[in-house]
Amino acid sequence: MALGSNTKFYETPNHPFQGERIADEMGLTGQYGLKNKEELWRAQSELRGYRREARRLLGRDADEREAEEFLGRLKRLGILGDEDRLDDVLSLEVTDVLERRLQTVIYRKGLANTVDQARQFITHGHILVEGRRVSIPSKMVAVAEESGIEFDEASPLADDLHPERAEER
């Protein structure tokens, strides 16, 4: 796809002025340190895609291999647990997707004091994932990559005594 195209990777709400939905969105935006609601809508669209695929695989007698590949991908990302089945995809919440973002994983690991600080560390290039600098807070982190998340050695934040480093939790 060419850069600058008008293709969106998310769907906006059908009814833009619903007070309860707006309040829920603001709560999630603050809780997960999202820059704007667009990031939340992207996660919701991703979740809709997972559910759509699960319904497609459940609805027809799909190829067993195809269903296993789909479940394997969600399990590698940590969205589903090891014992979860295809039915469990339909009961997923948007928070299950948001928990796997790099920004949230860094905060949960204790590398940052807040989710907003985690976002700043990522965008400023202080974070490495398996030896590679990542500057995208919305990157989905696989379970296997989680142990490889660390500060860049060249970053001043690599020093444990740096004032912005998080307290051990």
Side-chain angles (χ1 to χ4, degrees):
M1 180 184 330
L3 290 175
S5 68
N6 292 331
T7 304
K8 292 191 301 189
F9 294 100
Y10 61 93
E11 298 171 26
T12 58
N14 292 332
H15 303 283
F17 303 110
Q18 293 174 323
E20 186 176 325
R21 182 191 48 76
I22 291 171
D24 290 344
E25 287 177 348
M26 289 305 292
L28 287 172
T29 302
Q31 179 182 350
Y32 288 97
L34 306 177
K35 182 174 73 173
N36 52 36
K37 289 185 184 177
E38 179 183 316
E39 290 188 334
L40 177 62
W41 296 337
R42 242 188 252 138
Q44 289 170 337
S45 293
E46 190 174 336
L47 178 61
R48 267 193 299 278
Y50 293 153
R51 288 181 180 156
R52 188 177 301 124
E53 181 69 12
R55 280 193 306 273
R56 185 183 71 78
L57 292 170
L58 284 169
R60 61 178 176 86
D61 291 328
D63 183 13
E64 181 86 16
R65 182 183 53 78
E66 190 178 3
E68 287 301 316
E69 287 175 1
F70 175 65
L71 284 174
R73 189 176 77 216
L74 293 180
K75 289 176 183 178
R76 276 191 304 277
L77 282 175
I79 294 173
L80 286 179
D82 290 335
E83 66 284 339
D84 287 338
R85 300 183 333 265
L86 204 50
D87 301 1
D88 298 320
V89 175
L90 300 176
S91 63
L92 289 174
E93 298 291 325
V94 71
T95 55
D96 297 320
V97 175
L98 292 173
E99 284 291 330
R100 299 310 307 162
R101 289 169 44 101
L102 179 60
Q103 177 179 359
T104 308
V105 172
I106 286 174
Y107 172 68
R108 298 275 187 251
K109 278 187 77 166
L111 295 177
N113 292 316
T114 65
V115 285
D116 293 322
Q117 187 181 49
R119 180 182 197 90
Q120 184 179 27
F121 288 170
I122 296 165
T123 57
H124 289 200
H126 296 292
I127 301 294
L128 299 178
V129 178
E130 294 188 335
R132 300 178 116 177
R133 178 173 288 129
V134 177
S135 61
I136 302 169
S138 63
K139 178 192 182 330
M140 295 299 282
V141 178
V143 175
E145 293 176 327
E146 223 172 304
S147 62
I149 296 175
E150 60 190 6
F151 285 111
D152 186 355
E153 289 179 14
S155 167
L157 292 168
D159 181 12
D160 289 338
L161 299 176
H162 192 281
E164 290 299 318
R165 285 289 296 266
E167 303 295 322
E168 289 297 321
R169 291 183 205 162

